[in-house]
Amino acid sequence: MITAESIGTAARFDPQLRVPQRPRVRRGLVVRLEPDELVVEGGPKRQLFRGKSATALLPSLLDLLDGQTRHETLASELEISEDVAFKALSLLWACGVIEEGPPAEHPVREVEAELADYLSRIGDSTGANASWEQAAMRLESVRLEVFGTSGLAEAFTAELASSLDVRVAAGPLPRPDTNLVVWVDSAGTTADEAVRHCWDKSIPLVRVRLDGRTAELGPVVDPRTTPCLYCLSSDNTSDDRAACGGDVDLAAALFARDLFAMISRSTPSPLPSRWRRVNLDDLSQSEISSATRPGCELCSTADGPVAEEATIPARYEASVAMPPKEFADLKAHQMHYKPSNLALQRKSRIWPVAPKTDLPAPPFELLASAWEPARITVDSRISDVDAERLSLVLMTAVGTKAVTEQKVLRWTASGGNIGSVTAYVVVRSCDGIEPGTYGYVNSTHQLARLSVRTDTVRGDAPVTVVLGGDYRKVAEKYSAFALRIVFLDSGCAQATAREVCSVLGIGFHQRPDFDDSELATGIGLDTDVEPITAVLDLGGAR
């Protein structure tokens, strides 16, 4: 549930929440007033608006939305404040009921009413287009040329002919006005000359491949943002199953849908960053991505022979990479304000049955600009770690600054403000804290005693801080991308701890290598859901 108050407040300061200035109801929607609610159907999701304002205010407001009238006029006619009008419109927009009025400049060519209805009512799936006319202009701007002589090429061209300027290639190279190329990769066909020409001329190229009963709907190849086709398709698999009747038409329809979505930006598509591999037998599918192979003469800067495949880290980065800016999904950004996602920022490890030790109030005055850090040499002995200084390091690196009704405020940057970093503290010698192994409870600024032992983590520093990442929590919102956020958050925490220790004159050593399995066993972690991201030694020699 999203409230007008919460989304309206967010839209005041978040530039990615672009509430229509000349709002109108999206085409093709059905609005129905029930006794206790307003029901809107026909969009990506059925929407229910409940409450007194929903049944008293929204019907009158919707009647006035003509795509020309601005907020202040709407408020005046309804005899409500502009703030109330803005919040109501923010809610209607976030729920996909309204869109921006028609563009004053660049009028759109006339399109079929069915296509206009579809682009409008389904456009909230991505939020990429302020109005349906913007999606129509994207379609109008494309000059698509299809290379391939198979039945799949003909079927695919027929699927898109009513909404795009699409034509079958007449020669080995694209025509001068072509700005998007599709290569239908089928047995016995090659398009190396066209593929290389598109790469050299920075013309985006999309491959579609039907092999046995497997359809691959991509990849997209664009030298500005992607590896070359040969790297992207280096893991091609072969399907020995015989094709069935209807496979060609089905593959053509599926691929046309993804390409239409990528061009119009009206509905989600894995393209251009990833692409789909579909089993036409049961329509099961997986999303595929790949990365540059070291040594590739087209898209790699590495010298030497071409590797068979890209490295695992490079392939992971490619699989979770953000799409190019022009393909950003603004609807996904609205998910930041979904109540279940907002609730994640308040969740943290608390170890409920472990005895707790209160940390002293952090001495923030030690971080004042007038504070002069101790000069430290490599071999010198410097300030010991005591409870107050450890409290300050943990608070600033991992802790919570304040909690308001709207959000949790942190001292250090955190992806999605979720707070993925969990700190485990091995205390060997710290004035004010008993030796042992602890978990840091950031919600209450306490240490939860996990063990009285200190030898389960190697080292002789007064204090060792092991940073873990709460992957499971972040994955509730970000799925596979969560692993990247976990490590980014850890980097922020490490940088903060290093700077604070420098100001305090505390020895700080970041271990460049550590045994994940040994640490996990010693502390009691499951690294499948809480990877260890850093080991920091505090105190002693720098």
Side-chain angles (χ1 to χ4, degrees):
M1 182 177 66
I2 297 178
T3 66
E5 181 69 30
S6 63
I7 196 67
T9 300
R12 290 290 187 192
F13 66 84
D14 191 332
Q16 294 192 67
L17 300 181
R18 295 179 287 200
V19 180
Q21 296 301 303
R22 296 176 292 110
R24 59 180 169 174
V25 178
R26 289 182 180 272
R27 298 175 58 132
L29 297 184
V30 176
V31 181
R32 187 173 70 254
L33 183 62
E34 300 288 349
D36 299 315
E37 62 187 11
L38 186 75
V39 183
V40 180
E41 297 181 290
K45 293 182 180 179
R46 187 170 185 251
Q47 301 289 349
L48 303 178
F49 298 88
R50 294 190 173 97
K52 183 178 179 180
S53 295
T55 55
L57 172 63
L58 293 188
S60 300
L61 176 60
L62 292 172
D63 287 342
L64 296 176
L65 304 184
D66 56 5
Q68 301 295 331
T69 308
R70 295 186 173 274
H71 296 188
E72 58 272 17
T73 304
L74 293 170
S76 176
E77 293 194 24
L78 292 171
E79 298 182 345
I80 58 176
S81 69
E82 286 189 36
D83 183 60
V84 170
F86 179 79
K87 289 176 179 177
L89 292 169
S90 298
L91 180 63
L92 290 171
W93 172 75
C95 294
V97 179
I98 62 174
E99 63 181 346
E100 188 63 77
E105 302 176 356
H106 310 295
V108 180
R109 65 176 174 83
E110 186 174 343
V111 301
E112 295 181 0
E114 292 82 357
L115 177 59
D117 288 348
Y118 177 80
L119 293 175
S120 180
R121 71 178 181 81
I122 211 71
D124 185 57
S125 299
T126 63
N129 300 303
S131 64
W132 71 264
E133 289 92 346
Q134 187 175 350
M137 285 189 287
R138 294 181 193 273
L139 295 170
E140 186 180 1
S141 67
V142 170
R143 301 291 179 269
L144 177 63
E145 198 163 354
V146 180
F147 285 75
T149 57
S150 66
L152 178 58
E154 297 173 2
F156 167 70
T157 303
E159 284 282 347
L160 288 174
S162 62
S163 54
L164 282 174
D165 180 354
V166 55
R167 53 205 175 186
V168 176
L173 296 177
R175 281 173 273 196
D177 63 337
T178 297
N179 54 18
L180 180 63
V181 167
V182 169
W183 172 40
V184 179
D185 180 7
S186 56
T189 65
T190 60
D192 286 344
E193 192 175 358
V195 169
R196 187 59 185 260
H197 174 83
C198 290
W199 181 266
D200 292 339
K201 300 297 183 181
S202 293
I203 301 173
L205 178 143
V206 189
R207 184 199 68 166
V208 58
R209 181 171 180 256
L210 180 59
D211 179 47
R213 302 213 67 199
T214 300
E216 284 204 28
L217 315 177
V220 173
V221 181
D222 187 335
R224 296 167 295 185
T225 57
T226 76
C228 68
L229 178 63
Y230 307 105
C231 288
L232 290 173
S233 59
S234 61
D235 67 340
N236 276 347
T237 57
S238 179
D239 186 349
D240 297 330
R241 295 174 298 174
C244 295
D247 279 0
V248 168
D249 290 336
L250 177 57
L254 289 170
F255 181 66
R257 182 268 169 206
D258 275 5
L259 193 69
F260 179 92
M262 184 189 77
I263 295 171
S264 69
R265 301 287 291 112
S266 57
T267 58
S269 169
L271 301 174
S273 301
R274 293 175 291 278
W275 65 98
R276 290 195 292 163
R277 181 177 289 164
V278 182
N279 182 343
L280 298 181
D281 181 42
D282 57 9
L283 293 184
S284 60
Q285 60 182 289
S286 56
E287 288 193 7
I288 311 298
S289 63
S290 193
T292 293
R293 298 168 299 165
C296 175
E297 65 175 7
L298 290 181
C299 61
S300 173
T301 58
D303 295 328
V306 182
E308 291 186 5
E309 61 181 17
T311 62
I312 290 178
R315 286 155 57 195
Y316 169 74
E317 284 292 317
S319 72
V320 300
M322 300 295 286
K325 185 177 180 180
E326 60 265 33
F327 292 97
D329 188 344
L330 297 184
K331 189 63 180 179
H333 179 73
Q334 292 180 29
M335 293 300 101
H336 284 295
Y337 302 100
K338 186 179 178 181
S340 60
N341 287 333
L342 290 173
L344 290 175
Q345 62 185 306
R346 301 177 187 275
K347 292 175 60 176
S348 62
R349 297 290 303 274
I350 60 173
W351 300 278
V353 299
K356 306 297 192 296
T357 298
D358 292 330
L359 286 166
F364 292 111
E365 66 276 5
L366 299 183
L367 300 180
S369 58
W371 176 261
E372 290 291 337
R375 288 195 171 274
I376 301 166
T377 61
V378 173
D379 298 323
S380 68
R381 298 294 296 180
I382 54 181
S383 299
D384 291 330
V385 186
D386 58 22
E388 283 194 342
R389 284 170 169 76
L390 179 60
S391 170
L392 182 57
V393 172
L394 291 174
M395 173 62 83
T396 53
V398 190
T400 299
K401 187 175 184 180
V403 178
T404 69
E405 186 177 345
Q406 288 77 29
K407 65 187 301 186
V408 175
L409 304 175
R410 306 181 192 279
W411 290 96
T412 300
S414 171
N417 197 35
I418 293 176
S420 68
V421 182
T422 302
Y424 297 89
V425 186
V426 181
V427 176
R428 301 184 185 89
S429 175
C430 181
D431 187 27
I433 301 176
E434 291 292 326
T437 300
Y438 300 86
Y440 175 59
V441 185
N442 62 29
S443 58
T444 58
H445 194 54
Q446 293 176 305
L447 292 178
R449 182 187 287 272
L450 308 179
S451 170
V452 297
R453 299 178 58 180
T454 61
D455 58 350
T456 55
V457 174
R458 295 186 187 185
D460 57 5
V463 174
T464 296
V465 178
V466 178
L467 299 183
D470 195 339
Y471 173 81
R472 179 176 288 164
K473 179 173 71 166
V474 184
E476 289 185 39
K477 178 178 179 181
Y478 289 107
S479 301
F481 188 66
L483 186 63
R484 199 165 193 258
I485 291 178
V486 161
F487 280 94
L488 288 169
D489 287 356
S490 178
C492 293
Q494 294 170 55
T496 299
R498 182 189 63 227
E499 293 302 312
V500 171
C501 286
S502 175
V503 172
L504 298 179
I506 295 175
F508 179 90
H509 175 69
Q510 185 177 13
R511 296 191 194 179
D513 189 22
F514 49 84
D515 187 326
D516 298 66
S517 298
E518 182 182 88
L519 288 168
T521 300
I523 297 175
L525 300 181
D526 179 359
T527 54
D528 285 341
V529 294
E530 191 173 2
I532 295 172
T533 58
V535 180
L536 312 175
D537 290 321
L538 309 185
R542 174 60 64 108

